[in-house]
Amino acid sequence: MTQTLENPSEVQVPAKSRSERTRSFSVADFPQITGREEEWRFTPVRKLTDLLDDAGTGQSLNLSQDLPAGVTQEVIDLEAARTMGVLEPEDRPAAIAANQAPGVLHYDVPAGAELDKPVIIHADGVDGQTVHGHVVVTVGANAKATIVVEHEGKARYSELVSLLIGEGAEVTFASIQLWEDGSVHLGQHDALVGKDAQFKHIAISLGGDIVRLNSNVRYDGPGGEAELLGLYFADAGQHLEHRTYIDHNTPKATSNVLYKGALQGTDAHSVWIGDVLIRPEALGIDTYELNRNLILTEGARADSVPNLEIETGDIEGAGHASSTGRFDEEHLFYLMSRGIPETVARRLVVRGFFNEVIQQIRVPEIEEVLTEQIEDELSRSMM
């Protein structure tokens, strides 16, 4: 389905605006989750009981990190994080993660810094332990930085990631899910994008039994640019769910969302929900969101729901597109007619499908990991 809005004033908004959802650090402000709620209806809630109860374990992921010169890391408490202006959680697991995390990991990139290499953080789960985490990343005005977080091992992990992007800064933040089988990962990533700043968020989900990530953006001044890229490959029994939310609350800002996924095997399930809210004050903004899914075998299911809520007609553009389908038989025929075996041809089509996202990442460290992991997925393909 492709839809481009020519006359935003004619759009029918939902009965309940996205702006009316609860935002709070208090877990008590969020009701217990049953799975009947609109925002949880696709998620296997019954398998998340420990991460939906307000109880901590005191456990942490094992961290190893490579911090370029000038980048600092410290452990602070939740109250200190709140005084920085981090955004409030929008769901119960994120509020629990903020309150139950043993401490808040704060990474800071000072104003004007231009990092010569990415910040690399390896976060490893051990023995399937239940872990809560809260990470705050602050990037000063006019700084340039790339932050990559790789999740591996086995854990049941719930996190809140708060990103504060200073005026004129250029920031890429990547979260890579390479969990072992049996892992669960719930995450809310909130970015506050400063005036004229450029922010790129990359979500890559390949491992784990259940991954559910919410990636949210709000603007702290006009002229901000946000790009949200995602890539996922669901195998039999995996549930990979990604939700994006762009809150256009300032004038002259832009946003672009591109998520692509492939699925193979019985009960492989992916979910993408894309929400964009354009408030009355968001004059002259431009936004577009796109999700495409490639079904490789019988028994796989992809749910894709783009949403636009527009409260002003004075915008540059707003649109969305969503599609789910099988192989392009013409592409296969073209490759096979040139002597390429069918299995190899199908793999080439999948690589080409993902290439649109990979080319936009422009971080060699991520591209190398992606290439290896996708090749591994294809080597175990049921095609």
Side-chain angles (χ1 to χ4, degrees):
M1 176 182 68
T2 302
Q3 179 180 357
T4 300
L5 303 175
E6 302 292 344
N7 188 357
S9 63
E10 295 180 1
V11 173
Q12 298 296 314
V13 299
K16 183 176 181 180
S17 170
R18 176 68 193 246
S19 63
E20 296 173 0
R21 289 193 183 179
T22 301
R23 294 190 181 97
S24 177
F25 276 100
S26 174
V27 178
D29 290 338
F30 297 93
Q32 289 284 350
I33 296 168
T34 66
R36 294 187 294 272
E37 302 84 358
E38 173 62 27
E39 60 267 34
W40 289 94
R41 66 188 179 97
F42 292 111
T43 311
V45 170
R46 66 185 182 280
K47 298 180 180 180
L48 306 174
T49 304
D50 57 328
L51 297 178
L52 302 181
D53 289 337
D54 188 12
T57 65
Q59 302 297 324
S60 300
L61 299 179
N62 289 341
L63 296 181
S64 60
Q65 52 198 21
D66 183 5
L67 305 182
V71 178
T72 59
Q73 184 261 322
E74 61 178 343
V75 179
I76 60 176
D77 60 23
L78 179 57
E79 188 58 35
R82 294 182 65 175
T83 62
M84 295 178 181
V86 299
L87 299 177
E88 295 178 314
E90 289 196 11
D91 67 17
R92 180 179 175 87
I96 293 172
N99 284 275
Q100 297 296 347
V104 181
L105 288 176
H106 174 218
Y107 295 88
D108 179 68
V109 180
E114 295 190 16
L115 304 186
D116 58 358
K117 62 179 182 179
V119 175
I120 303 292
I121 303 167
H122 293 276
D124 296 327
V126 179
D127 298 329
Q129 293 177 332
T130 297
V131 179
H132 298 92
H134 187 189
V135 176
V136 173
V137 178
T138 52
V139 181
N142 301 309
K144 296 181 180 180
T146 295
I147 301 103
V148 179
V149 183
E150 294 182 343
H151 300 96
E152 297 183 287
K154 186 177 181 180
R156 298 180 62 83
Y157 181 50
S158 184
E159 67 171 352
L160 174 65
V161 177
S162 306
L163 300 127
L164 300 174
I165 313 302
E167 179 177 332
E170 299 179 19
V171 178
T172 295
F173 180 87
S175 179
I176 305 177
Q177 286 56 253
L178 304 176
W179 297 106
E180 294 178 7
D181 293 344
S183 296
V184 173
H185 185 175
L186 303 182
Q188 180 175 313
H189 297 180
D190 292 330
L192 186 61
V193 180
K195 178 178 181 292
D196 296 325
Q198 299 176 32
F199 173 64
K200 180 185 293 185
H201 182 279
I202 303 168
I204 298 166
S205 296
L206 301 174
D209 285 1
I210 301 172
V211 174
R212 186 185 194 268
L213 295 184
N214 295 301
S215 304
N216 307 322
V217 171
R218 198 180 307 173
Y219 299 87
D220 196 31
E225 301 178 14
E227 186 173 20
L228 276 61
L229 304 176
L231 186 154
Y232 47 90
F233 201 134
D235 286 318
Q238 271 190 302
H239 178 94
L240 304 180
E241 182 170 345
H242 298 84
R243 292 170 176 259
T244 61
Y245 173 41
I246 309 292
D247 185 353
H248 276 286
N249 60 326
T250 62
K252 301 295 183 182
T254 64
S255 64
N256 182 66
V257 178
L258 173 61
Y259 271 65
K260 282 193 169 189
L263 301 89
Q264 63 183 10
T266 302
D267 294 330
H269 187 200
S270 72
V271 178
W272 176 82
I273 309 293
D275 289 338
V276 175
L277 170 63
I278 303 174
R279 298 178 184 266
E281 61 270 27
L283 306 177
I285 68 93
D286 195 352
T287 181
Y288 193 79
E289 53 182 355
L290 170 64
N291 175 233
R292 297 208 185 284
N293 298 288
L294 185 61
I295 304 294
L296 304 180
T297 67
E298 297 289 343
R301 171 185 169 188
D303 289 293
S304 181
V305 185
N307 300 302
L308 284 171
E309 183 179 353
I310 304 177
E311 298 177 346
T312 178
D314 189 5
I315 60 177
E316 292 295 323
H320 60 220
S322 171
S323 69
T324 298
R326 294 188 176 276
F327 279 105
D328 187 324
E329 296 299 332
E330 290 187 3
H331 287 176
L332 285 177
F333 177 79
Y334 176 84
L335 294 170
M336 293 172 63
S337 68
R338 279 150 179 78
I340 299 175
E342 181 178 357
T343 301
V344 176
R346 287 177 178 270
R347 292 184 179 185
L348 289 174
V349 170
V350 175
R351 294 189 192 104
F353 174 77
F354 281 137
N355 197 48
E356 182 181 4
V357 174
I358 294 173
Q359 283 185 333
Q360 295 191 47
I361 293 174
R362 300 187 180 90
V363 179
E365 292 83 354
I366 299 178
E367 293 178 6
E368 182 177 349
V369 170
L370 270 180
T371 299
E372 293 176 356
Q373 291 294 322
I374 291 174
E375 287 299 322
D376 181 61
E377 294 280 356
L378 290 173
S379 70
R380 294 184 285 113
S381 175
M382 298 174 61
M383 292 185 290

